[in-house]
Amino acid sequence: MATAALGHGHGHAHGHGHGGHGDGHGHPPTSTGLDHKKVAVWAFIGSECMLFASLISTYMIYKGRSVVGPYPHDPCPVGPPPGCSVARNAILNIPVTSASTFVLLMSSLAMVLALAAVEEKDRPMPTGAKWGDRALRSSKLWLWMTAILGTTFLGFQAYEFTSFVHEGLTIRTNLFGSTFFTLTGFHGAHVTAGVIWLLTLLAIDYKRGLRPRDAVNVDIAALYWHFVDVVWIAIFTLVYLIR
């Protein structure tokens, strides 16, 4: 009887040990409960936050300290410094930048829909589904939309930079030009990197199709893209809206 009980207890414990080992295989790869790729992207975003915080702080510290024009919010009359050799209007074009901001925000919405489309890819389409339902399940459509909207934002930025140069503002003109072009130029470089990332995902989608197992790869791209959008909201508010 005792031997049987011991044998039964040993078998019971052995079975539980295997069950615990099996459960261990289902745990996420990090102690945080997040995929290691996502943890790496969050760490990268944290470092990028420090970069943009330093660039924005530099802009705010030197704001209003330019000794020559043109100026961001005020016209520059003809005359010796702080005047200009030719009369200049305020350099910032708020309506154009507002339009580019709206475009970038809409790209975030498209990115959300792209991720949702990838996650839902393997679910059967409802009977009698309409074109709109099929469009919502198209990861290619929403990735294209995000990339196009991001490229449109870069087009707005290129137009803005070109017009500023024609107005006499370059990175060497004054403190405003130096800090403005550095800050917005770095942000534009990040948007460009994001567009390239999106095109890479599109290439994978066309080659073999993005499936729910690829959702984490799309998710980390979405994290980066939303970060770029949030940074721009801060830049737009502090540089363009606050005088």
Side-chain angles (χ1 to χ4, degrees), residues 97-112 146 149-150 153 225-226 228-234 236:
T97 313
S98 298
S100 69
T101 302
F102 176 77
V103 166
L104 196 61
L105 290 176
M106 289 302 99
S107 74
S108 261
L109 173 60
M111 190 71 232
V112 170
T146 310
L149 290 171
F153 173 83
W225 194 257
H226 297 322
V228 167
D229 285 9
V230 169
V231 169
W232 180 252
I233 291 172
F236 179 65

Side-chain angles (χ1 to χ4, degrees), residues 29-46 216 220 223:
T30 64
S31 60
T32 61
L34 297 173
D35 185 273
H36 65 280
K37 294 179 184 177
K38 192 175 287 189
V39 172
V41 169
W42 275 117
F44 171 73
I45 287 174
V216 68
I220 60 177
L223 282 174

